[in-house]
């Protein structure tokens, strides 16, 4: 692979993404989602009567004033990642099909660039853009959550966002870019993206129960969503979950790469 | 520029059409391209329906429930497919020869209209058949009541999908809107009803048992009005060639 060529494609992809307004739309989508779901989760927590007079001040060994906003934040973060993944699938699927629609692939075929370099450049371009968006959402989200859910555990936010949220967004974009790379037009890419979306959502649920379980390492009490059997060692259970889910979350995008690259090699004999 | 244009259809009759003097007269020569629209919309519906079927099977196999069991399939699936297909009907950036289309004397609104008519017709046939099957069941309710459950949300999502694709210039906006609004409201129907009771006028999946008869009628009428309004807005927007090409709004 030629790194200079990859760097050129990355730069071009970032510029094109900005011109298509993709970063700002995804940023707004996820920020609105995070704020809206934080408000809904906060409302649900307050209605549950958890702060009422006579209720225990500790839940699973944690102060209720920390546990309640943190569990609300966890729900809001997961919902934001779901919305983000759906948005990413629909806004990154056109990256390669647009080149085909505008006949750029014919120009590229005349250049000494391998399919692997082309695919890697396109994917890296999308990932760099997404990492910037994820960084912004994370940064602004930390402040927004401090206002909406005062007292939340910052460590949980960082753990969920870095270990679960960002990898899920990258995984979804990889699936969208690679599995729609056969499409000859933007419209065909969207139709293929409709097939990619359920795969991404199922992988997201697998990721939640494996990568999302990282919250147990922050505080075992935050692993409430894992529904551990009574008396089980939740830390050991989490390790098992991560070890079981990680190969699937990494393996499926890797398989998508092989399919996209193999198809391109077969079709264009390069 | 006072020249006359002879379209293919009018050459035999040797009747020239003067576009500058009589635009109304010029319009008389246009025809609908039904066959092409049928082909395009059937392809869209096949793809969208296939994708939805794939999603349902995939979610089912992975034990992920999608919607509340109280909502029947027709009520969720028909508006969703209609919204997704409507979003794919026309988006300026997704029409590869938009400049060429705009130079044609046949207005772009006609293309949108004929595709929309075909889509609406196909959806109506599927929906009416589904309603007939559901109402034939012992607890199926009346045919009219079942129509009311899916027709207004379908019109609203068709309008929303079309408008989002046209104003956003890309089909992905409309498809995303249709999926997020439709699936989101279906999954969170109960939560929305309890937490945000004031949203009942625009709830896509409001149930007669949850509202008074007057509220239910207002909800259905409002959804229909929103859909029709957005469709009208979309058709009006297509008359502005400058805006369609990405320039400033000239109307």
């Amino acid at each position: 692979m030629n790194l200079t060529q990859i760097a050129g494609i990355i730069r071009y992809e970032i510029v094109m993404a900005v011109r298509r307004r993709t970063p700002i739309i995804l940023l707004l989508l996820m920020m609105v989602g995070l704020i809206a779901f934080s408000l809904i989760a906060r409302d649900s927590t307050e209605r549950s009567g958890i702060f009422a007079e006579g209720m225990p001040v500790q839940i699973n060994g944690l102060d209720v004033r920390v546990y309640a906003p943190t569990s609300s934040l966890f729900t809001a973060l997961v919902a934001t990642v779901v919305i983000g993944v759906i948005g990413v699938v629909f806004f990154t699927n056109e990256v390669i099909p647009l080149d085909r629609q505008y006949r750029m692939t014919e120009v590229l075929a005349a250049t000494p660039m391998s399919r692997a370099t082309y695919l890697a450049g396109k994917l890296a371009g999308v990932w760099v853009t997404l990492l910037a968006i994820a960084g912004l959402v994370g940064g602004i989200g930390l402040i927004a959550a401090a206002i909406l859910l005062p007292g939340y555990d910052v460590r949980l936010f960082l753990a969920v966002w870095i270990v679960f949220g960002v990898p899920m967004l990258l995984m979804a974009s990889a699936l969208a870019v690679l599995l729609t790379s056969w499409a000859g037009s933007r419209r065909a890419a969207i139709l293929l993206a409709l097939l990619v979306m359920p795969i991404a959502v199922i992988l997201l649920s697998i990721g939640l129960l494996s990568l999302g379980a990282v919250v147990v390492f922050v505080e075992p009490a935050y692993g409430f969503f894992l529904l551990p059997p009574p008396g089980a060692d939740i830390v050991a259970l989490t390790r098992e979950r991560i070890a079981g889910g990680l190969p699937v979350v990494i393996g499926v995008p890797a398989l998508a790469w092989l399919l996209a690259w193999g198809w391109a090699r077969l079709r264009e004999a390069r | 520029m006072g020249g006359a244009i002879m379209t293919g259809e009018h050459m035999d009759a040797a009747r020239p059409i003067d576009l500058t003097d009589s635009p109304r007269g010029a319009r008389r020569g246009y025809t609908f391209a039904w066959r092409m629209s049928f082909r395009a919309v059937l392809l869209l519906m096949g793809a969208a329906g296939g994708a939805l079927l794939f999603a349902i099977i995939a979610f089912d196999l992975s034990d992920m429930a999608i919607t509340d069991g109280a909502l029947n399939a027709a009520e969720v699936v028909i508006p969703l497919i209609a919204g997704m297909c409507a979003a794919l009907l026309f988006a300026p950036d997704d029409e590869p020869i938009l400049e060429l289309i705009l130079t044609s004397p046949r207005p772009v609104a006609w293309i949108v209209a004929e595709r929309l008519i075909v889509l609406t017709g196909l959806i109506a046939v599927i929906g009416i058949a589904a309603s007939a099957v559901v109402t034939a069941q012992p607890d199926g309710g009346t045919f009219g009541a079942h129509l009311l459950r899916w027709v207004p949300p379908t019109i609203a999502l068709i309008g929303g999908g079309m408008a989002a694709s046209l104003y956003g210039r890309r089909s992905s906006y409309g498809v995303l809107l249709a999926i997020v609004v439709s699936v989101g409201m279906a999954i969170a129907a109960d939560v929305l009803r309890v937490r945000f009771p004031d949203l009942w006028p625009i709830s896509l999946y409001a149930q007669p048992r949850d509202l008074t008869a007057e509220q239910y009628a207002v909800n259905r009428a409002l959804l229909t009005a929103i859909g029709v309004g957005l469709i009208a807005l979309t058709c009006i927007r297509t008359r502005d060639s400058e805006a369609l090409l990405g320039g400033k709004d000239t109307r």
Side-chain angles (χ1 to χ4, degrees):
Chain A
M1 282 197 214
N2 186 325
L3 290 179
T4 311
Q5 287 176 334
I6 290 178
I9 299 174
I10 290 172
R11 200 170 57 215
Y12 167 81
E13 264 320 308
I14 294 170
V15 171
M16 287 308 290
V18 171
R19 285 179 65 179
R20 290 183 210 128
R21 302 188 294 272
T22 303
I24 190 77
I25 291 161
L26 285 175
L27 179 70
L28 284 175
L29 193 69
M30 283 193 269
M31 281 316 304
V32 169
L34 182 62
I35 291 169
F37 287 114
S38 295
L39 288 171
I40 293 170
R42 184 180 72 177
D43 182 55
S44 298
T45 308
E46 284 169 0
R47 280 169 189 250
S48 70
I50 199 168
F51 299 116
E53 196 80 26
M55 291 297 283
V57 291
Q58 287 207 327
I59 293 177
N60 295 334
L62 276 178
D63 188 331
V64 73
R65 284 167 299 181
V66 175
Y67 182 85
T70 307
S71 58
S72 298
L73 177 74
F74 179 77
T75 309
L77 276 176
V78 172
T80 305
V81 175
V82 172
I83 288 189
V85 162
I86 294 172
V88 161
V89 168
F90 280 105
F91 285 102
T92 58
N93 62 65
E94 61 191 16
V95 169
I96 293 174
L98 264 189
D99 275 356
R100 202 163 278 135
Q101 181 170 313
Y102 295 130
R103 305 290 177 208
M104 281 305 297
T105 41
E106 289 167 15
V107 178
L108 289 169
T111 62
M113 182 168 59
S114 69
R115 290 307 300 180
T117 303
Y118 176 70
L119 281 179
K122 287 286 182 185
L123 194 55
V126 170
W127 278 4
V128 170
T129 312
L130 276 181
L131 283 173
I133 297 166
L136 280 172
V137 173
I140 301 169
L142 275 170
I143 300 164
I147 297 165
L148 299 171
L149 300 163
Y152 79 95
D153 192 337
V154 178
R155 294 173 304 159
L156 178 128
F157 188 111
L158 293 173
V160 170
W161 193 245
I162 294 168
V163 180
F164 167 67
V166 177
M168 286 298 111
L169 295 175
L170 299 184
M171 176 274 300
S173 65
L175 290 180
V177 170
L178 297 169
L179 292 180
T180 61
S181 63
W182 307 298
S185 68
R186 193 184 239 167
R187 193 169 274 158
I190 293 168
L191 292 175
L192 279 176
L194 291 174
L195 290 173
V196 172
M197 200 190 68
I199 301 173
V201 173
I202 289 168
L203 281 181
L204 182 70
S205 70
I206 295 171
L208 175 63
L209 294 175
S210 54
L211 300 181
V214 73
V215 294
V216 169
F217 298 129
V218 178
E219 280 293 342
Y222 295 144
F224 59 89
F225 67 98
L226 295 171
L227 304 174
D233 180 357
I234 193 162
V235 175
L237 182 75
T238 301
R239 284 206 186 95
E240 271 175 39
R241 289 270 177 92
I242 292 175
L246 210 53
V248 180
V249 173
I250 295 173
V252 174
L255 185 66
W257 167 277
L258 280 178
L259 285 172
W261 178 78
W263 174 255
R265 292 273 298 181
L266 201 70
R267 187 168 149 174
E268 293 158 30
R270 301 186 74 197
Chain B
M1 293 289 290
I5 293 176
M6 302 256 284
T7 64
E9 194 175 316
H10 290 80
M11 277 183 189
D12 291 340
R15 190 174 58 176
I17 300 166
D18 193 326
L19 289 180
T20 52
D21 291 346
S22 174
R24 275 177 186 278
R27 280 197 196 110
R28 279 203 296 268
Y30 309 145
T31 54
F32 281 107
W34 293 118
R35 198 175 298 169
M36 195 61 209
S37 296
F38 257 109
R39 220 170 71 180
V41 174
L42 272 177
L43 195 71
L44 288 180
M45 284 189 69
L52 201 62
L53 193 66
F54 174 70
I56 290 168
I57 293 169
F59 288 141
D60 199 35
L61 287 176
S62 58
D63 290 332
M64 288 169 66
I66 303 176
T67 60
D68 184 347
L71 296 170
N72 68 48
E75 198 172 352
V76 179
V77 171
I78 292 173
L80 178 57
I81 289 189
M84 287 196 296
C85 291
L88 290 158
L89 288 183
F90 186 85
D93 283 359
D94 295 354
E95 292 291 333
I97 50 166
L98 183 63
E99 286 89 345
L100 200 61
I101 292 170
L102 289 171
T103 58
S104 161
R106 187 168 175 261
V108 179
W110 277 51
I111 298 173
V112 179
E114 69 189 17
R115 290 178 185 173
L116 179 63
I117 290 167
V118 170
L119 174 69
T120 313
L122 291 171
I123 287 289
V125 169
I126 295 168
I128 288 168
S131 291
V133 170
V134 171
T135 50
Q137 306 302 313
D139 301 327
T142 65
F143 182 73
H146 195 262
L147 282 184
L148 268 182
R149 290 178 75 167
W150 66 265
V151 172
T154 301
I155 296 172
L157 281 178
I158 285 177
M162 285 177 73
S165 290
L166 190 80
Y167 283 91
R169 305 190 59 80
R170 291 154 63 179
S171 306
S172 42
Y173 287 89
V175 175
L176 186 67
L177 179 113
I179 291 176
V180 169
V181 172
S182 174
V183 177
M185 277 201 179
I187 291 173
D190 287 339
V191 177
L192 287 174
R193 185 169 49 81
V194 176
R195 300 275 181 245
F196 305 99
D198 295 339
L199 283 181
W200 65 265
I202 53 164
S203 171
L204 286 181
Y205 306 113
Q207 300 297 313
R209 64 173 182 272
D210 301 326
L211 303 172
T212 64
E214 290 77 22
Q215 282 179 328
Y216 189 66
V218 169
N219 167 274
R220 300 290 99 173
L222 196 60
L223 287 178
T224 308
I226 289 170
V228 171
L230 288 172
I231 292 169
L233 207 62
T234 306
C235 289
I236 292 167
R237 174 79 170 181
T238 57
R239 294 165 65 188
D240 191 344
S241 303
E242 196 67 39
L244 280 185
L245 286 170
K248 282 186 179 173
D249 205 328
T250 55
R251 284 177 186 271

